[in-house]
Structures are given as structure tokens and as C-alpha cells.
Amino acid sequence: MIIIDRERCVGCGLCVSDCPADKLTVEDGKAVYTPECIRCGHCVAVCPKSAVSIPEYDMEDVEEYDKDTFNVAPDHFLHAVKFRRSVRNYKEKPVPREVMERILEAGRYTPTAKNRQACRFIVLQEELEAFKAFLWEQMPDLAEAMKETAPHYSMLFKFMYRRQRKDPQDDPLFFNAPACIFIAADNPLDGGLAAANIENMAVAEGAGVLYSGYIQRIVEAWKPLKEWLGLGNTPVACCMLTGYPAVTYRRTAPRKKAEIEWR
């Protein structure tokens, strides 16, 4: 799993002290790897001599530290967090494939529990209209099935269905977004963390997202929709409508005071 170039290794022990799984030691002045690690890559990242590699991964993807591009000014980052908005009005403009790939890179590099990297990303853009048609077709049966277990959602989804059928241009679920990203993960926290990074990257690319709890709940509750997406039994952690905003926000929105305990 881990290859240590003995010619490059200087036995400094940095990888040993930084390994979260305690799978590295220094013997005879060289780092030695013990199998069954979690392949987190800390040893690759911390080595001052680039002596460590993980053949299972694309090592060409590894970037060297650059102090000029690494740090984000705290004020700029906080401003970006404050300025983000949930987008419900999108331009009729698709997100180019290369832009979407960069957005998803932020999800791919998000930390996961035990470094499982088990999040799946399903991007609907070309097939989004087909999925929407199938979802609306399934909505009456879904709403009826939820009548006993979730009566509030049953009534709400029936209302949405009637509204959409009355005016197909009225889109109470998808808001005419040009793309939809589903994140599937056994650990919902993994999916949520990935979603946050994906949104930040989308905003950096000039796009925006809307976290759709309704669509997430609909898909998770209705097996035919999960089968359509090819998700099997993997839970849907998040659904994100994605596209270029058709509205311009001039300032941040106010928020109530944070509830913080300093102890």
C-alpha cells in the first residue's frame, strides 16, 4: 500500500509522529511501513524529501506546498461564508463539464471517517429532465405511501404534484436548475462535509446551489427513484441543485446572534 523510497528517506521520523494509525516506524535510519493502514496520505504530505508514495492513488495528482497560494485571508473567507445564498432562480445556462469537475474535486478531497472516501457523486445534467419527469410520475404513489408514516409530507407532496401538473413551468422542487448533484454515503456526516466544500467551490466558480431536503427525502423514501439513480442501498446524504444564479445579491443577509458558551 505504501512505498518508501529508501534512497530519499532520511529517517527524520516526521511521518511516524504524524501517522494517525501508528503504522510507521523508523528502523536502521529509514521509515518502515506496517500494513493495514487507512491510506490517509499524511506520510506523503509531511515527508520533506518526497520519499513516500501510495501506488493505489494517482500520485501525479499530488501538489507541492506553495505559501503564495495556500493561505486564504481570514476576512475574505468569512465574507464568502456570509455572502453565500441558497439559489432558487437560475440562468438557462448549463454548467460546463470542466467546471463541474473542478467543483466535484472539492468534494473528492473532503475528509471522511477513517479515510473511507466512500462518497458517491451522481451529477444529473443531460438526464435531469428525464429524472424530473420520472419523479413527478411517481409522486402520487409516494405521497400515498407516506400517508401513515409521514402525513405532513404526504399532504405537502400531493400539493406540489397538483401545482406542477396545473402549470408544468411552475417548478416547486427543482426551480429550473440546470444540474442536480446527489451525494450518497453510508456516513451522513461524510456527505454533509463534502456538500459544504462543493458549495464553496461552486460559488468560487460563479455558480450557486440549493440544498434540497425535499428531493433528498423523496428519493430516500422511494425505492424506484433510488434504483433510477443506481444508488442501491446507499443512503442519500444530500441533494444539491446547482447552476448559475439569475439574481444578484448586493449584500450579506442578517443573522441572529450565535448561541455560544465560553467555558
Side-chain angles (χ1 to χ4, degrees), residues 136 157-172:
W136 287 118
F157 295 152
K158 286 180 180 179
F159 169 76
M160 286 183 172
Y161 176 77
R162 291 193 298 269
R163 174 177 159 183
Q164 197 275 339
R165 282 300 183 255
K166 182 178 180 180
D167 180 6
Q169 299 303 312
D170 185 7
D171 193 354

Side-chain angles (χ1 to χ4, degrees), residues 93-125:
K93 176 184 176 182
V95 181
R97 178 67 173 265
E98 62 273 16
V99 173
M100 191 65 81
E101 288 176 347
R102 289 195 295 268
I103 290 172
L104 292 175
E105 278 288 88
R108 182 168 77 98
Y109 269 89
T110 301
T112 54
K114 297 183 179 179
N115 193 43
R116 291 187 61 209
Q117 301 180 57
C119 289
R120 289 184 59 197
F121 308 101
I122 295 87
V123 183
L124 297 184
Q125 194 153 232

Side-chain angles (χ1 to χ4, degrees), residues 173-205:
L173 275 179
F174 293 90
F175 298 97
N176 296 309
C180 183
I181 302 172
F182 288 95
I183 304 177
D186 289 323
N187 185 332
L189 181 58
D190 289 349
L193 291 172
N197 278 346
I198 285 173
E199 181 187 19
N200 287 334
M201 189 61 187
V203 172
E205 290 282 358

Side-chain angles (χ1 to χ4, degrees), residues 116-162:
R116 291 187 61 209
Q117 301 180 57
C119 289
R120 289 184 59 197
F121 308 101
I122 295 87
V123 183
L124 297 184
Q125 194 153 232
E126 293 181 2
E127 298 182 14
L128 180 55
E129 290 303 317
F131 176 75
K132 288 164 64 174
F134 184 64
L135 184 147
W136 287 118
E137 175 187 309
Q138 296 289 314
M139 188 69 88
D141 291 340
L142 165 67
E144 188 64 25
M146 298 180 77
K147 185 184 293 186
E148 297 297 327
T149 58
H152 172 74
Y153 281 105
S154 175
M155 293 176 59
L156 176 62
F157 295 152
K158 286 180 180 179
F159 169 76
M160 286 183 172
Y161 176 77
R162 291 193 298 269

Side-chain angles (χ1 to χ4, degrees), residues 70-87:
F70 176 76
N71 292 314
V72 178
D75 289 346
H76 291 176
F77 180 77
L78 185 57
H79 176 74
V81 171
K82 289 181 176 180
F83 204 81
R84 58 81 50 204
R85 299 262 61 80
S86 294
V87 179

